[in-house]
Amino acid sequence: MSEKFDTSRLPRELSSVFEELVARDPHQLEFHQAVYEVLMTLTPLVTRKPEYQDLAIFERITEPERQVMFRVPWSDDQGQIHVNRGFRVQFNSALGPYKGGLRFHPSVNLSIIKFLGFEQIFKNSLTGLPMGGAKGGANFNPKGKSDAEIMRFCQSFMTELQRHIGPDTDVPAGDIGVGGREIGYLFGQYRRLRNSFDAGVLTGKGLTWGGSFARTEATGYGLVYFAEEMLRARGTSFDGKRVVVSGSGNVAIYATEKAQELGATVVAVSDSSGFVVDEAGIDVELLKDVKERRRGRVSDYANQRSSARFSAEGSIWEVPCDVALPCATQNELPLEGVQALIRNGVQMVAEGANMPTTPEAIDELRSAGVLYAPGKASNAGGVATSGLEMQQNSGRTQWPFEETDAKLHQIMVGIHENCLATADEYGVPGDYVAGANLAGFIKVADAMVAQGLI
Ligand code: GLU
């Protein structure tokens, strides 16, 4: 797939950075994709910021500061022993302690963690909070595991990870496959090994032991706050819109809830087995019950709701809508998906997942003039609220839900303004991709320049 990235579209100064990176790690396709997408928008910096080149900022920022890979042995309920691979990629700490989630999914490998860690640098920069970028996880499949198995896995994972993290060093959180339950087991093991209640070492904690109100809702709510600003900038709103949300995890559930609160009808959600169409609008309480409490499938949702039908065949992107919110996983929205959305008159695509839209699909959206928000801007609400959780932990305090949600809202409005202002400043008005990449990048790069050659 690396040949697919046309380096002739990059200026020589950036194409050489990209080609060397591909030569160094030729199999890390997702990482190549994430870097290519960013470099494609940084062309103006070659002339406007010559110091970046002199100081090898492009080379340095694309190489993680530290990468840790480790064995995670654990035994299942039958006493059988399994071995998984754990990762923590500490990508950049110019703006603050490394910060980013942990993903437990069988697809996890170094390429996936590096792409996520690279995106996280710029996302965290855009939040305006003092956080560096990192990501971690394991190729562990939580599906079908008992609570006791999940606990033993988390304890084994943390037994190694604890050497590399800390409230001022690196602060992990959740991502796919890592929610409140897993953060609980991870925190318990950290506390036990270190004999220290360092609440600020993880975010996404429970509300009675250092967690923040609105953290659970934050990524989905933040996505809709950002998308609402995009619609407002075009003189419209969510009211009366038909919305398709892919996925049915934490991001999808709370994006659905907030979009419907703002007057939209979410007509479809999905999981890895298929998708559900519910013309009456998704019943969020039922969806939460199925997914959060029973850890079930969207087909279970359809079985309990007469207005809903489940399809194991076809694509969720064929469902006509005004707004599409991809909230599942990377590369879930391919060119054919975007073509179907455009055929059905989509007005906006805003990403809740990380890198869900493939490069060809993004090109297609942009040439069709569809509003498009890249995840590193539109899904930044999760990590932004993690930053707020860190602030509360430092102050040994807890703010009420409304106060925290209002701060999240303000941060998303701020990111939206920053993207548009930066896009204007660089002569690409309305281009959220360029605006987000340039604004996120410049802040980190300037900090690296100021901090010397490290
Ligand atoms: N995994 C989330 C993300 O992709 C949240 C990370 C965090 O809260 O540290 O941004």
Side-chain angles (χ1 to χ4, degrees):
M1 180 158 129
S2 291
E3 306 80 68
K4 188 167 108 175
F5 301 113
D6 179 3
T7 49
S8 69
R9 290 169 75 187
L10 290 169
R12 185 184 41 80
E13 295 81 354
L14 298 182
S15 67
S16 63
V17 172
F18 184 73
E19 277 157 14
E20 279 167 30
L21 171 152
V22 169
R24 242 185 347 261
D25 295 299
H27 306 298
Q28 296 181 350
L29 304 181
E30 294 82 4
F31 178 54
H32 302 164
Q33 182 182 335
V35 173
Y36 182 80
E37 282 182 21
V38 170
L39 292 181
M40 279 291 286
T41 57
L42 300 185
T43 305
L45 301 183
V46 173
T47 45
R48 282 220 213 175
K49 298 271 195 178
E51 67 273 26
Y52 290 177
Q53 229 182 295
D54 297 342
L55 296 172
I57 294 293
F58 299 109
E59 287 84 347
R60 283 196 274 151
I61 213 166
T62 49
E63 177 71 8
E65 290 176 13
R66 186 176 298 104
Q67 313 182 51
V68 188
M69 286 172 65
F70 50 97
R71 181 170 71 197
V72 189
W74 59 281
S75 63
D76 66 23
D77 290 345
Q78 283 68 49
Q80 200 185 323
I81 293 172
H82 301 266
V83 177
N84 285 98
R85 185 172 286 178
F87 301 85
R88 188 70 180 167
V89 172
Q90 299 177 330
F91 224 117
N92 194 295
S93 59
L95 296 182
Y98 303 110
K99 181 82 196 88
L102 298 170
R103 177 177 291 192
F104 290 169
H105 191 271
S107 66
V108 162
N109 56 36
L110 190 55
S111 173
I112 300 271
I113 299 299
K114 280 178 74 179
F115 115 64
L116 290 164
F118 185 71
E119 291 272 301
Q120 201 81 44
I121 304 170
F122 310 111
K123 183 195 304 195
N124 294 4
S125 163
L126 284 170
T127 66
L129 301 173
M131 300 183 287
K135 207 82 186 193
N139 63 346
F140 168 73
N141 188 359
K143 217 173 271 171
K145 303 290 189 295
S146 68
D147 284 352
E149 288 171 329
I150 297 284
M151 182 179 75
R152 285 196 295 277
F153 180 81
C154 288
Q155 290 179 340
S156 181
F157 185 85
M158 183 53 89
T159 302
E160 173 59 32
L161 187 70
Q162 58 94 18
R163 299 175 210 285
H164 311 287
I165 63 176
D168 296 316
T169 305
D170 183 357
V171 183
D175 194 79
I176 294 172
V178 177
R181 172 181 60 169
E182 290 74 18
I183 294 294
Y185 296 145
L186 290 164
F187 185 72
Q189 182 73 349
Y190 181 90
R191 187 167 63 70
R192 172 206 217 180
L193 291 170
R194 304 285 275 250
N195 190 29
S196 178
F197 196 102
D198 295 334
V201 72
L202 288 168
T203 60
K205 298 180 294 297
L207 292 174
T208 56
W209 40 279
S212 173
F213 283 107
R215 177 63 190 89
T216 304
E217 296 83 358
T219 314
Y221 279 20
L223 167 64
V224 172
Y225 294 150
F226 190 94
E228 189 188 18
E229 292 305 301
M230 294 171 76
L231 292 171
R232 196 197 308 280
R234 289 266 177 116
T236 173
S237 75
F238 267 106
D239 196 30
K241 294 275 188 302
R242 262 177 80 89
V243 178
V244 163
V245 176
S246 65
S248 50
N250 170 265
V251 182
I253 289 172
Y254 293 96
T256 300
E257 182 169 278
K258 185 54 74 176
Q260 297 201 141
E261 234 177 83
L262 296 181
T265 305
V266 176
V267 292
V269 292
S270 64
D271 63 21
S272 56
S273 62
F275 64 97
V276 156
V277 177
D278 187 344
E279 288 293 340
I282 295 292
D283 176 341
V284 179
E285 289 314 312
L286 177 59
L287 186 63
K288 283 185 193 172
D289 189 54
V290 168
K291 299 296 293 192
E292 290 181 344
R293 285 180 274 283
R294 288 190 270 142
R295 298 186 185 277
R297 314 290 296 166
V298 291
S299 50
D300 301 324
Y301 170 95
N303 289 338
Q304 285 179 59
R305 182 131 162 113
S306 56
S307 53
R309 66 178 168 76
F310 172 75
S311 309
E313 306 293 320
S315 158
I316 189 171
W317 309 120
E318 304 279 344
V319 180
C321 64
D322 305 307
V323 173
L325 304 176
C327 296
T329 195
Q330 68 272 356
N331 292 328
E332 57 162 314
L333 176 50
L335 180 61
E336 313 79 71
V338 156
Q339 286 166 338
L341 287 169
I342 293 171
R343 231 182 1 258
N344 290 323
V346 76
Q347 295 163 35
M348 176 171 79
V349 175
E351 297 181 340
N354 291 311
M355 208 170 76
T357 317
T358 64
E360 310 76 52
I362 296 172
D363 285 345
E364 185 80 2
L365 284 172
R366 295 168 96 185
S367 50
V370 175
L371 273 175
Y372 166 67
K376 65 171 78 63
S378 52
N379 76 26
V383 75
T385 309
S386 280
L388 301 178
E389 183 170 332
M390 291 165 71
Q391 287 182 17
Q392 293 169 81
N393 294 152
S394 295
R396 299 194 187 275
T397 187
Q398 189 176 45
W399 308 325
F401 183 92
E402 292 68 27
E403 185 180 339
T404 317
D405 184 43
K407 286 181 199 276
L408 162 65
H409 190 208
Q410 204 183 348
I411 290 170
M412 298 315 295
V413 171
I415 297 175
H416 179 267
E417 275 172 13
N418 190 6
C419 289
L420 282 190
T422 308
D424 276 348
E425 189 186 333
Y426 282 84
V428 278
D431 185 338
Y432 286 93
V433 177
N437 287 343
L438 285 160
F441 186 94
I442 290 168
K443 193 171 163 204
V444 179
D446 286 348
M448 290 173 73
V449 170
Q451 293 173 28
L453 185 57
I454 50 170

